[in-house]
């Protein structure tokens, strides 16, 4: 159920509704908006009886929710969620087109620093770099772990970039939460429900990648797992789905972006690097991601991709990256007009 | 095999090579380019012996082709193919971003005329309209046939638009060739090899849609069927592929565009209408099609979509269409810079 | 609409209903069953008014059909359709498990004869062999055409086998109808609606293969196209669908068999050869096809597959084929018990 | 690398090789076979130098492994792995066709007991029942957790059935290892690499389900993760993959079974329940699973499916289950002949 408060409801009114929800052993999720606050209820088995809430001061209406998701929907929060990093003014989901660029895997201080410098000079505010790498083979390079996170933290200090990095399990998430600014959950973990719940208890925003065979409903329900624990700062990321098409590693499904917009208030970005797997397709699909209306991109860059320990063929060279930045910004400007 | 002529080879040199090919019972396909002409050879079983050609005047080199396709490749024709309609100056594959807009099915003179007027006023040079509709059910509306083609021909006269319309079988192709400017082969017929061969003998350009489960190689080989008969004016069209994703009718695979560019000289356009199936996703994906570097779009428009006999939910209203045109042109401009 | 006749309705009663249908400009399709005859009506735009039929002698009830298909359904014909070849006693859809075996392509009289002999000796009653081959590349072997059909006709005479062969377009279908016993429509032509209609006007049974990206509904509607023209002898064939899985050419979707059973009276067989593409998987999947309850199989056999002009790696050797026959018959026996 | 021992190599010879491997900081994995023992080496970066091993007593040869997986392959272990439960004589991968049947979710003692009784009476030796359920929605029934495991343990005592149950995360795996006989890793966790490693350190066999968009290589590498930690008792399970086909929940890819056989020594079973999602298709596909050569099945049964908390529509009724058991045993007998 969803309790919509009146535009003039006070903090005390909202507090009283949350108390009434708690009294029933349920959990209330207040979502303030420009016009009014709505309160989602989770923890119920079956339908919630609206009668304890209907007459409370400040309550406009009680809406039964028939969809499988609640907290992700525009019904609960008509305004878009904007993830804000107040110290630097960076944001995801706001007016600025948010490009998160960096290395697939942190391999060394030097490789990470030189990439971060190029990323910062191109005007990006977010840096990505993997310290924990989920690899298909147990014998492949699995990342530098905490040592990698420390390098990322240094790079943040030096270049003022916000750090986005993946947590592959709960111990990794503990460390990522400590060192990074945004916790990434990878496609292979999109339905690792314990990890989603742990991310929901973290105090940092979560970047959730779509599973490679995930429907929109499953994707939104994965975000719902995070939000149901109280973390409402979730960024969705389209990174390609598995199909018969064999000219790219995954088929980038850009129609997800308008579909998410229709249903949800959450920001959504596009990863043109992991989906295509080859450098020459990254720039065209990055432009397409901006054009389709995404809030940003997640892009691999590397100073010398031929020596990369992971996914080298898809990493942009620095000058290609600068070219891409110019194009996607111009396109994002047209879309936002 | 591929015979590359010297930059200064004369018409007579080329003629002599073609004669030598014919003498062997094979077929030569000359492809003039900005720098030089190349001549593809088809009709051979197994490898062609280069010795009869190597010493002919004007021959630069004889290249063995190991790929399954020959005539579609950049090896044969490094420059992009541009389809030109000299009387109106319209072109596909050239500098101008080519939007082909119109009705899914021609239903009446009035519906077709009013749409054509809106399309022309928005500055488009191409009009689409189906007179032969391939329908999944034998009991669905199958199009107005020749009566529809006549309406399309009237619209051409009145508004100066080039007509693009589908031929579903050989008798239909005979009529379409007579009335229209571009012959469309639909996704369901992408491997109807007899129809492809017939289109290859037509004197009009062919717009070939990708099959819903077609790989890039299969798609290019379908174009090769047309070209092997001597019709080199083929336009490829991405219209979405079948996947598990259920929020759109088909998943638009925009990565096809840079992949075709990498291999082929043929122009490639994008159909955001049939892939998504819902109006609100058409504009975002039309923008993405322009941004990914396509040569144009194929878009459904309808004066009153709620009454359309076919695919109404995906047709843009006139004002949405005008809005789209402004956006896609601005984006195409950025891409071409 | 569907008109169900009373169990004791006479031929004259049925005749009268068909006349009444014709009077309305529609087409009646009588389907005699063990208990009663039902008559499907096609050719209508919108719903048919039952009043002209309701009171005719012998009419039990008039049933409105809400599904997109009519003639393929068990509503119209509760009993299974059995395709009978009276002279040899062979049948498809009846008690006997029908194996259609033979060469992918007819290459020569000798290759065809030796395979037919092996097929006949193993107790099969049906021989397959392609004279018209739909090939992805315009430069691949396209079949021996009428010469191949003549070889097939000789083989029929010599070994008493019924001949199943593919028609790739309408001129080919004219020839196939003349020489063969069953007309095959291939997967790539499953939505070649003109060809389906032509097959619907043929006097021979039609073996229709599922398109590689076809839903069950689309498959049944393709059969409906054939039946709507008056040819009710349609055999459906599952031959694998396109998916991301790359260890076989296509993913054999055996669940189609019980799904077709649930909806339709038409017989359904399984092709384990084209789906897997490698010999060692053909026998396991042939057994699975028998076990899932199919009415038969379509299997490639070749005397010396390493020299086959088409799909050699999937053809069974003669002794493997005999082994397969023993296994699938034993399994079919268990299923039919 | 793979070190193949001579047929007459002694325990001491093997011990010496393992010590030499450990000296290099690597891990040795001895796989005894009927003819000889082979020893896989993991933990290396890049190729292993064979010289320290080549001359050790009992070593026949050192084989470089070029495939991404090592321990799962027939190269390492030509004989099939048989999982044996010595106290009851039950086995998976041996001569007996192993049916694992039971409830999707343990809901109550009564529901579990009555199902276990039916399962035992039908001659099954394995019981499945979920205590930890990975659910797409955070608001769906998530299982009885340890309480459910206790019910399962009671059922084992009472009916002598081996218990198979899913562990959804590491704390759950600790409990499952304590209470159950086989640890199931679900499809959504097939690439939860931390959980795979934890399962690799468990002392119980692991039943690993194929991910819904997993290639065979990815599936085998997931098993390799478990084996690389020292647990060699892995059972693979095909449970359907995601495709466009919408008449079943997932498309059961039975060709996986012969493909796994070709590459690996691990046993492989089939789950016809979760793939189809509807009861009437479970029996046909269970038969097909036996026919394709699987080592067993995983099947849902329920005393009153209409009241099931999870996946009721796919659960067999008791009498359907008994019918299925008779059929699959008879078919498995034919296959094993």
């Amino acid at each position: 159920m969803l309790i919509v408060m009146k535009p003039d409801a006070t903090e005390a009114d909202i507090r009283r509704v949350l108390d009434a929800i708690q009294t029933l052993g349920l959990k209330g999720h207040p979502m303030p908006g420009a016009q009014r606050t709505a309160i989602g209820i989770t923890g119920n088995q079956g339908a919630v009886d609206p009668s304890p809430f209907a007459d409370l001061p400040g309550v406009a209406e009680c809406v039964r929710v028939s969809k499988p998701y609640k907290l992700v929907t525009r019904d609960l929060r008509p305004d878009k969620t904007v993830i804000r990093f107040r110290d630097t003014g960076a944001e995801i989901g706001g007016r600025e087109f948010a490009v998160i660029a960096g290395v697939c895997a942190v391999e060394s201080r030097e490789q990470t620093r030189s990439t971060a410098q190029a990323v910062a000079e191109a005007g990006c505010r977010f840096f990505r770099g993997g310290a924990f790498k989920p690899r298909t083979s147990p014998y492949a390079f699995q990342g530098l772990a905490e040592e990698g996170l420390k390098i990322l933290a240094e790079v943040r200090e030096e270049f003022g970039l916000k750090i986005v990095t993946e947590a592959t399990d709960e111990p990794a998430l503990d460390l990522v939460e400590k060192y990074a600014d945004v916790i990434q959950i990878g496609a292979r973990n999109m339905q690792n429900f314990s990890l989603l719940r742990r991310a929901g208890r973290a105090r940092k925003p979560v970047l959730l990648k779509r599973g490679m065979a995930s429907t929109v409903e499953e994707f939104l329900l994965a975000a719902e797992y995070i939000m149901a624990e109280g973390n409402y700062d979730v960024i969705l990321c389209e990174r390609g789905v598995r199909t018969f098409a064999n000219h790219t590693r995954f088929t980038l499904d850009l129609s997800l972006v308008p579909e998410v917009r229709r249903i949800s208030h959450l920001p959504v970005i596009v990863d043109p690097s992991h989906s295509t797997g080859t450098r020459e397709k990254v720039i065209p699909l990055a432009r397409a991601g901006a054009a389709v209306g995404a809030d940003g991109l997640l892009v691999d860059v590397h100073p010398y991709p031929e020596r990369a320990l992971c996914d080298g063929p898809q990493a942009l060279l620095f000058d290609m990256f600068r070219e891409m930045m110019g194009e996607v910004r111009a396109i994002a400007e047209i879309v936002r007009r």
Side-chain angles (χ1 to χ4, degrees), chain A:
Chain A
M1 194 159 72
L2 180 64
I3 298 175
V4 182
M5 304 300 291
K6 291 177 184 161
D8 58 355
T10 64
E11 278 300 306
D13 293 340
I14 293 169
R15 195 65 260 154
R16 201 175 296 112
V17 172
L18 291 171
D19 288 348
I21 293 169
Q22 202 174 359
T23 303
L24 296 168
L26 306 176
K27 190 163 178 179
H29 301 266
M31 297 272 170
Q35 305 296 322
R36 45 75 169 168
T37 288
I39 301 170
I41 300 178
T42 65
N44 50 304
Q45 309 282 9
V48 177
D49 174 10
S51 55
F53 312 110
D55 295 331
L56 288 182
V59 169
E61 57 173 335
C62 297
V63 183
R64 208 148 271 174
V65 180
S66 58
K67 291 168 200 143
Y69 29 70
K70 301 177 190 180
L71 307 179
V72 301
T73 61
R74 296 188 83 112
D75 298 340
L76 185 59
R77 185 181 210 154
D79 311 304
K80 254 181 85 176
T81 288
V82 181
I83 316 288
R84 292 195 172 85
F85 301 84
R86 295 189 199 277
D87 54 343
T88 64
E91 58 183 39
I92 299 175
R95 260 210 61 84
E96 200 173 296
F97 188 70
V99 177
I100 304 167
V103 292
C104 181
V106 174
E107 298 166 19
S108 70
R109 175 168 292 111
E110 187 274 326
Q111 165 246 19
T112 307
R113 269 201 76 244
S114 70
T115 308
Q117 183 163 18
V119 164
E121 285 175 3
C124 286
R125 293 159 175 280
F126 299 92
F127 186 73
R128 66 156 300 177
F132 299 94
K133 299 301 304 173
R135 299 305 293 273
T136 302
S137 164
Y139 311 128
F141 172 63
Q142 312 263 329
L144 297 183
E146 189 165 7
E147 188 194 337
L149 294 177
K150 287 179 181 165
I151 294 173
L152 289 169
E154 288 173 28
V155 148
R156 172 180 39 213
E157 298 313 310
E158 186 170 355
F159 299 104
L161 293 162
K162 293 291 158 191
I163 301 299
V164 180
T165 193
E166 179 166 357
T168 50
D169 57 18
E170 295 182 48
L173 203 149
D174 293 342
L175 287 168
V176 166
E177 189 180 9
K178 183 175 151 198
Y179 286 100
D181 302 292
V182 177
I183 302 160
Q184 181 177 318
I185 304 285
R188 287 165 185 77
N189 278 319
M190 194 205 81
Q191 293 195 315
N192 181 340
F193 301 117
S194 302
L195 191 61
L196 295 178
R197 282 204 201 87
R198 170 65 186 84
R201 293 188 299 269
R203 301 300 186 89
K204 299 271 173 77
V206 177
L207 171 58
L208 178 66
K209 296 188 105 178
R210 181 182 182 187
M212 64 178 81
S214 156
T215 61
V216 171
E217 181 169 317
E218 289 166 345
F219 193 17
L220 292 175
L221 282 168
E224 187 88 12
Y225 261 96
I226 298 169
M227 296 179 78
E229 298 292 321
N231 187 348
Y232 307 135
D233 285 349
V234 179
I235 303 145
L236 303 172
C237 179
E238 163 64 28
R239 47 76 75 199
V241 292
R242 218 159 226 176
T243 74
F244 70 88
N246 53 9
H247 62 283
T248 45
R249 290 209 303 178
F250 298 94
T251 299
L252 194 65
D253 177 12
L254 289 175
S255 70
L256 180 102
V257 174
E259 180 68 1
V260 165
R261 285 277 183 272
R262 193 176 66 80
I263 301 170
S264 177
H265 53 84
L266 294 175
V268 54
I269 68 171
V270 166
D271 177 347
S273 301
H274 284 78
S275 53
T276 58
T278 49
R279 193 171 304 126
E280 94 258 3
K281 292 195 185 68
V282 171
I283 294 185
L285 287 161
R287 289 191 312 240
V292 87
D295 293 296
L297 300 172
L298 188 67
V299 182
D300 278 13
V301 187
H302 202 284
Y304 25 85
E306 65 291 354
R307 281 189 277 146
L309 294 180
C310 173
D311 288 342
Q314 79 198 24
L316 295 180
L317 300 167
F318 291 170
D319 56 347
M320 297 175 78
F321 175 64
R322 276 187 296 268
E323 180 198 328
M324 182 205 87
M325 283 299 292
E327 293 185 347
V328 299
R329 277 177 176 155
I331 291 171
E333 206 45 54
I334 291 168
V335 175
R336 265 132 217 266
R337 270 202 304 244

